[in-house]
Amino acid sequence: MSMGLSPSSGIAERFSNALMRHIAATFEVEEAPILAALSSSSPGARRLFEARAKISTRLDCNCSRLFTGLIYTDDGAGGAVGADRMIRLAQRILEVCLKFNVSVAHAKCHLGQLFIWLGIGYALSLNLVFVPVAKILRATGPLARILSGEPTTFGDLRQLADLLEHFRSALELSAMIQYGLYNDFGENSGSPDAYVQRTAALANACKRWLDLLGSQA
């Protein structure tokens, strides 16, 4: 769903956020005695939680959690410190989804140190962020067609630019890699069906992305 373009997208996001807050609040209650016992038995853990408590006060949020959860409409992700805690968190997420009759597509169910969220891959044990091959192919096709001189509409170019912007943000690339993709937008893009003029700047931008994505595949 395109956020903000229709009332349903805003409603869905608010429901998703409320669901994630409910999961977090429920799990915090379950975690409280466990963290208290850990703090009592380990001087190192106690110092950690005391330091995190000061940060929590300053930021007005709970920074002592050993778990996290994020969601963007229908794409949720959660993480926890330790396998046992992760298993319990996954169980609570499942219980809440069943309670509120929320179904999750099997293709979006991942459990482990390697997962895909919002189309980007994360390999936690390797400290690695990557673009999956399917997403790379989705981008390289239009890039190659523009370079070969095939007619491209502004609507198609906008979809491509948005996808590449998502890659750029996830991979923490410089905004300069996008230079040339947006030059013709504005007064020349009155209709999504209008055709883009392939300028040298646009061709260079496409080549930069093809070289980069080719090295990642």
Side-chain angles (χ1 to χ4, degrees), residues 49 99 103 131 212:
F49 290 131
K99 177 181 178 181
S103 60
V131 179
L212 174 67

Side-chain angles (χ1 to χ4, degrees), residues 8-20:
S8 59
S9 60
I11 292 169
E13 184 62 35
R14 287 194 293 274
F15 173 75
S16 299
N17 290 339
L19 199 67
M20 187 58 72

